[in-house]
């Protein structure tokens, strides 16, 4: 009798466990079978995309988003080889990159996500300058300056006869391309004797620890580290006479008065990737949540009308 009762209990318990297991299986199967969303590219765009990815994964706990930093150029190389779903860019795609994508059958959509300004910074102990002209930036950074323009007083009379130590983005950076184009007059044309990195945090540390340093990088990295850096204004003409310098700020960047060092920044998504549910959902989330997240990480949001156009552009691929 006791034995029959025990068998009955075990049978019922087995049925209960099977029932629970079936329910768990159904719940698991109801979660979309999403692949990892892979993103690379610009260190300038990285803080925005990282913030979006973090918020997205809070809403979609089963989603996995990886965000790398190899610079705008490095990101486009991976993107055009089909190695990543998306890439961030601090400049528009180049004709050579369009050709590379075409050769590999990669179709893409360009989506502007924010405005950024390139800041010129020095060490806080620098007490001899508060601003520079575009012409002075050209004298300092043009290719002919290498091994020639090595002291501060070669830039402007009255500045100290001390060495100048330069920090800037690497050659794969879109910031490097844009900066050289608007200061020197040719994208990618630059002296090579400076400390370079695709990671803007490395540049921040370099300038913050060297009294004789000068560097440039994206505005958001200055915002995060303004207690360690001194921001320089940029004169809108080639001389100081009669013109106050313009300092980068959300307003001057958005209005375009911080000339010529303000610009839009982008993400590029492959059309094949966008056909996957997880990537499509992520892009829509990115464009819907951008305003607050862009501002939160120190960049300047697009006007809502421009985000609406970006959403429309994406929908139409």
């Amino acid at each position: 009798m006791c034995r029959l009762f025990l068998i009955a209990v075990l049978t019922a318990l087995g049925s209960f466990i099977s029932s629970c297991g079936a329910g768990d299986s159904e719940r698991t199967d109801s979660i979309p079978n999403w692949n990892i969303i892979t993103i690379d590219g610009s260190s300038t765009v990285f803080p925005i995309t990282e913030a979006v990815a973090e918020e997205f994964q809070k809403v979609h706990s089963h989603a996995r988003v990886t965000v790398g930093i190899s610079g705008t150029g490095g990101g486009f190389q991976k993107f055009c080889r089909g190695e990543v779903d998306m890439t961030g860019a601090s400049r528009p795609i180049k004709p050579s990159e369009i050709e590379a994508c075409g050769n590999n059958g990669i179709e893409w959509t360009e989506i502007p996500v924010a405005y950024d300004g390139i800041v010129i910074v020095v060490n806080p102990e620098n007490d001899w300058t508060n601003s520079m002209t575009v012409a002075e930036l050209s004298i300092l950074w043009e290719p002919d300056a290498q091994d020639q323009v090595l002291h501060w007083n070669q830039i402007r009379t009255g500045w100290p006869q001390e060495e100048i130590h330069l920090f800037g983005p690497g050659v794969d950076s879109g910031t490097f391309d844009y900066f050289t184009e608007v200061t020197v007059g040719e994208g990618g044309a630059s002296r090579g004797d400076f400390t370079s990195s695709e990671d803007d945090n490395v540049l921040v540390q370099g300038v913050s620890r060297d009294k004789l340093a000068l560097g440039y990088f994206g505005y958001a990295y200055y915002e995060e580290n303004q207690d360690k850096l001194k921001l320089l204004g940029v004169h809108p003409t080639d001389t100081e006479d009669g013109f106050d310098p313009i300092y980068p700020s959300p307003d001057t960047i958005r209005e375009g008065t911080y000339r010529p060092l303000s610009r839009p920044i982008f993400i590029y998504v492959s059309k094949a990737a966008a056909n996957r549910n997880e990537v499509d959902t992520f892009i829509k989330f990115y464009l819907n949540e951008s305003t607050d997240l862009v501002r939160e990480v120190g960049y300047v949001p697009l006007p809502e009308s421009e985000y609406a156009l970006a959403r429309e552009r994406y929908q139409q691929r």
Side-chain angles (χ1 to χ4, degrees):
M1 180 72 127
C2 289
R3 187 176 176 186
L4 289 174
F5 177 75
L6 179 61
I7 290 171
V9 170
L10 291 173
T11 301
L13 182 61
S15 298
F16 175 75
I17 292 171
S18 297
S19 174
C20 288
D24 287 345
S25 174
E26 288 171 4
R27 284 194 294 273
T28 301
D29 291 344
S30 70
I31 296 175
N33 185 24
W34 283 6
N35 295 317
I36 295 174
I37 302 170
T38 54
I39 309 170
D40 210 288
S42 166
S43 62
T44 301
V45 184
F46 171 80
I48 302 173
T49 303
E50 182 186 43
V52 173
E54 288 176 357
E55 293 302 313
F56 182 75
Q57 289 171 119
K58 290 177 184 177
V59 176
H60 303 279
S61 59
H62 54 283
R64 294 294 178 267
V65 185
T66 65
V67 188
I69 304 175
S70 59
T72 295
F76 274 128
Q77 289 177 17
K78 293 181 179 181
F79 182 73
C80 292
R81 290 196 297 260
E83 296 174 7
V84 294
D85 301 318
M86 297 168 50
T87 192
S90 56
R91 58 160 172 78
I93 189 169
K94 293 179 178 179
S96 59
E97 293 160 343
I98 293 174
E99 183 179 2
C101 281
N103 290 340
N104 291 316
I106 305 296
E107 296 184 90
W108 45 268
T109 301
E110 176 192 80
I111 306 170
V113 294
Y115 289 119
D116 181 40
I118 299 175
V119 298
I120 312 300
V121 295
V122 294
N123 187 277
E125 292 185 43
N126 180 318
D127 59 4
W128 56 88
T129 182
N130 295 306
S131 64
M132 294 182 72
T133 68
V134 174
E136 288 170 338
L137 291 171
S138 179
I139 290 169
L140 181 58
W141 287 96
E142 65 183 356
D144 289 344
Q146 181 162 333
D147 299 324
Q148 300 297 319
V149 181
L150 304 175
H151 297 87
W152 281 95
N153 64 341
Q154 291 177 270
I155 306 301
R156 188 184 300 178
T157 303
W159 286 355
Q161 190 175 354
E162 299 271 8
E163 288 186 355
I164 187 166
H165 303 153
L166 298 174
F167 294 82
V171 296
D172 279 336
S173 167
T175 300
F176 171 84
D177 288 333
Y178 186 86
F179 178 82
T180 51
E181 182 174 342
V182 299
T183 58
V184 177
E186 180 182 350
S190 174
R191 66 188 301 162
D193 55 341
F194 67 97
T195 301
S196 67
S197 177
E198 304 298 343
D199 185 346
D200 290 350
N201 287 305
V202 173
L203 306 179
V204 168
Q205 293 303 315
V207 176
S208 68
R209 295 171 180 173
D210 185 346
K211 179 180 178 179
L212 301 177
L214 178 144
Y216 70 91
F217 42 78
Y219 178 76
Y221 287 88
Y222 166 74
E223 278 273 282
E224 289 182 4
N225 299 280
Q226 53 188 295
D227 58 326
K228 305 174 186 176
L229 303 165
K230 177 180 175 179
L231 185 65
L232 299 189
V234 175
H235 292 272
T237 66
D238 287 342
T239 65
E240 292 185 280
D241 298 340
F243 294 94
D244 292 332
I246 305 296
Y247 288 84
S249 70
D251 287 340
T252 61
I253 292 169
R254 182 186 303 107
E255 295 163 0
T257 53
Y258 181 59
R259 296 193 306 269
L261 296 178
S262 57
R263 64 205 170 139
I265 54 179
F266 309 89
I267 56 172
Y268 288 75
V269 58
S270 91
K271 292 186 178 181
N275 288 331
R276 291 173 17 219
N277 182 43
E278 63 269 31
V279 176
D280 181 59
T281 304
F282 179 76
I283 294 293
K284 290 174 180 174
F285 183 89
Y286 201 127
L287 292 174
N288 286 331
E289 302 298 324
S290 283
T291 299
D292 290 338
L293 292 176
V294 163
R295 188 179 292 111
E296 190 175 296
V297 295
Y299 290 81
V300 180
L302 304 176
E304 178 51 38
S305 59
E306 292 185 25
Y307 281 121
L309 287 173
R311 287 191 286 269
E312 181 181 345
R313 181 185 184 88
Y314 171 69
Q315 283 298 113
Q316 295 176 352
R317 302 291 195 273

